[in-house]
């Protein structure tokens, strides 16, 4: 069983002082937690300050996005080297909000995943179906396409080099969650895919996170599922006590 991973995605929230306050509020509430890895993904502007605040703690730093080029005339973009400079370990790629509003299609996501892996960052590859796709019974097809295309051309040798997050788009920020059983079915499908693509051992060790309105009152049921190895948490991660309770899920 891989070590569970809980990732806080603060999206476009928090100024620098607010972000530092939030992480400083969180740290004492998760100090006693063992055997769960925690990462926080502040907005770019707060990465440096939050990185300083978590120095010497087991909490890892994550970025919410990244460009695939190493440097150059790409106004407004951030390179993998810039993220490594700030001690980022993880980078969220292909989040549905990036796919929906910023033109990140399967091809762009694959290039980003590939560059992150080559440059020593751990991509958190996000996949998930929209409400319409779910209603048409296309969940497995969509998720399969996004996983296969997201990893196209990438080499993954070990399970700790990649994280996949299954986030049904209809559940993100809506208060609706997939039932643990329904999420497990998709996670198990993803696990099978990565095993056939990357080998039995790597596929077994890769963390597959669930995301979409994860809250203190639904995390325990989700984490009881065999193939749910953690959560990518948006709204509930903006409150230190809520996120700390998610990190301290029952059953850990
Ligand atoms: C997310 O940002 O990835 C997310 C799942 O958001 P929320 O928890 O608010 O649904």
């Amino acid at each position: 069983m891989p070590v569970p991973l809980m990732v806080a995605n603060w999206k476009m929230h928090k100024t620098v002082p607010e972000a530092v306050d939030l992480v400083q509020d969180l740290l004492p509430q998760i100090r006693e937690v063992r055997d769960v890895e925690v990462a926080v993904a502040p907005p770019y502007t707060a990465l440096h300050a939050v990185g300083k605040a978590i120095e010497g703690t087991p909490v890892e730093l994550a970025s919410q996005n990244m460009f695939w080029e190493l440097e150059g005339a790409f106004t407004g973009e951030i390179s993998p080297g810039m993220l490594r400079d700030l001690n980022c370990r993880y980078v969220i790629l292909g989040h549905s909000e990036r796919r929906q509003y910023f033109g990140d299609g399967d091809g762009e996501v694959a290039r980003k995943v590939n560059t992150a892996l080559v440059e020593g960052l751990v991509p958190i590859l996000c996949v998930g179906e929209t409400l319409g796709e779910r209603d048409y019974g296309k969940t497995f097809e969509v998720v399969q396409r996004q996983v296969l295309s997201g990893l196209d051309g990438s080499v993954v040798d070990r399970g700790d080099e990649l994280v996949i997050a299954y986030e049904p788009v209809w559940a993100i920020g809506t208060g609706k969650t997939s039932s643990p059983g329904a999420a497990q079915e998709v996670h198990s499908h993803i696990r099978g895919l990565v095993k056939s693509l990357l080998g039995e051992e790597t596929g077994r060790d890769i963390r597959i996170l669930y995301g979409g309105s994860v809250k203190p009152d639904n995390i325990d049921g989700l984490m009881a599922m065999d193939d749910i190895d953690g959560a990518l948490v948006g709204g509930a991660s903006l409150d230190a006590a809520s996120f700390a309770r998610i990190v301290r899920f029952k059953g850990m």
Side-chain angles (χ1 to χ4, degrees):
M1 264 290 276
V3 175
L5 171 65
M6 298 297 180
V7 183
N9 176 14
W10 294 350
K11 309 195 189 195
M12 199 176 73
H13 294 286
K14 305 293 173 189
T15 61
V16 174
E18 288 168 351
V20 171
D21 279 354
L22 177 54
V23 80
Q24 279 172 345
D25 196 3
L26 174 68
L27 287 174
Q29 300 189 51
I30 57 170
R31 192 175 291 137
E32 309 296 316
V33 175
R34 301 277 175 275
D35 303 326
V36 177
E37 194 184 348
V38 177
V40 291
Y44 287 138
T45 47
L47 277 171
H48 182 258
V50 171
K52 288 278 162 213
I54 61 177
E55 239 169 42
T57 79
V59 175
E60 298 282 359
L61 197 61
S63 173
Q64 297 177 19
N65 186 31
M66 184 201 84
F67 195 48
W68 59 73
E69 293 289 351
L70 303 189
E71 65 177 351
F74 303 106
T75 302
E77 289 295 342
I78 301 278
S79 76
M82 292 167 186
L83 297 179
R84 271 203 326 268
D85 230 16
L86 296 167
N87 293 322
C88 273
R89 173 165 169 74
Y90 294 100
V91 54
I92 300 170
L93 296 173
H95 191 282
S96 66
E97 288 150 16
R98 301 279 335 160
R99 292 181 192 260
Q100 187 178 352
Y101 304 124
F102 302 103
D104 284 13
D106 288 339
E108 286 79 12
V109 174
R111 291 181 81 172
K112 291 180 180 189
V113 168
N114 200 282
T115 304
L117 285 163
V118 170
E119 295 299 311
L121 293 159
V122 179
I124 301 176
L125 168 63
C126 299
V127 299
E129 81 286 4
T130 62
L131 188 58
E133 288 164 341
R134 183 182 74 142
D135 288 347
Y136 277 100
K138 294 200 177 295
T139 298
F140 290 87
E141 189 186 313
V142 168
V143 165
Q144 174 153 338
R145 190 201 74 228
Q146 291 176 338
V147 169
L148 295 183
S149 64
L151 296 178
D152 190 32
S154 284
V155 177
V156 181
D157 293 319
R158 292 193 326 265
D160 61 357
E161 292 175 350
L162 170 73
V163 175
I164 294 177
Y166 168 56
E167 301 205 298
V169 179
W170 50 268
I172 297 180
T174 59
K176 295 182 190 141
T177 356
S178 182
S179 70
Q184 164 59 26
E185 278 184 38
V186 182
H187 280 233
S188 160
H189 183 71
I190 294 173
R191 180 90 58 206
L193 271 178
V194 285
K195 278 183 179 173
S196 58
L197 202 64
L198 307 172
E200 186 69 23
E201 202 179 326
T202 305
R204 185 196 61 206
D205 292 346
I206 278 177
R207 268 93 53 98
I208 306 176
L209 314 184
Y210 174 78
S213 297
V214 172
K215 304 269 183 290
D217 62 7
N218 57 29
I219 187 66
D220 299 337
L222 289 161
M223 290 304 291
M225 299 292 114
D226 282 349
D227 290 298
I228 299 186
D229 306 313
L232 179 52
V233 187
S237 73
L238 294 169
D239 178 77
S242 284
F243 187 60
R245 171 62 184 83
I246 289 168
V247 170
R248 295 191 316 256
F249 65 94
K250 297 229 165 59
M252 55 166 285

